[in-house]
Amino acid sequence: MAIQITLGGDDGSLAFIPQNFEVPAGEKIVFFNNAGFPHNVVFDEDEVPAGVDATKISMSEEDLLNAKGDTYVVTLTQKGTYSFYCAPHQGAGMVGKVTVK
């Protein structure tokens, strides 16, 4: 199983859709580039479960999804809440949160 998260709304909004969601531990999360790119997915090192290295689950802040249909896939195995953002659009509110059950 996998859940798909859309980067950029069809209306041009700079958002993760859905912005907040839950997944079971070990389920793939597919971030799908839709509109308003370039985008990326960076997990906030201060808002991931203790013991998780945010750099190992994040894209580099310099890496970007530049075309519609580009994807970034991550699998989170440790239960807890993870906050993430799009580095180019964080100031515009392009942030999200996933709870791993």
Side-chain angles (χ1 to χ4, degrees):
M1 286 294 297
I3 184 171
Q4 180 170 295
I5 308 305
T6 303
L7 283 67
D10 288 335
D11 61 357
S13 60
L14 298 174
F16 292 98
I17 303 167
Q19 184 174 21
N20 298 299
F21 58 97
E22 293 182 355
V23 295
E27 181 168 321
K28 283 185 183 176
I29 304 168
V30 179
F31 290 93
F32 178 84
N33 210 25
N34 180 52
F37 38 81
H39 298 302
N40 64 7
V41 180
V42 179
F43 285 87
D44 186 329
E45 65 185 24
D46 295 324
E47 294 188 37
V48 296
V52 173
D53 184 346
T55 62
K56 292 185 177 177
I57 57 174
S58 298
M59 295 177 69
S60 159
E61 292 210 15
E62 293 78 34
D63 285 344
L64 298 170
L65 302 175
N66 286 306
K68 184 170 183 156
D70 284 354
T71 60
Y72 175 68
V73 179
V74 65
T75 302
L76 304 175
T77 56
Q78 185 158 330
K79 294 179 180 181
T81 302
Y82 298 70
S83 293
F84 56 90
Y85 58 90
C86 169
H89 301 121
Q90 183 180 16
M94 192 168 175
V95 298
K97 188 173 290 189
V98 56
T99 302
V100 177
K101 296 285 188 177

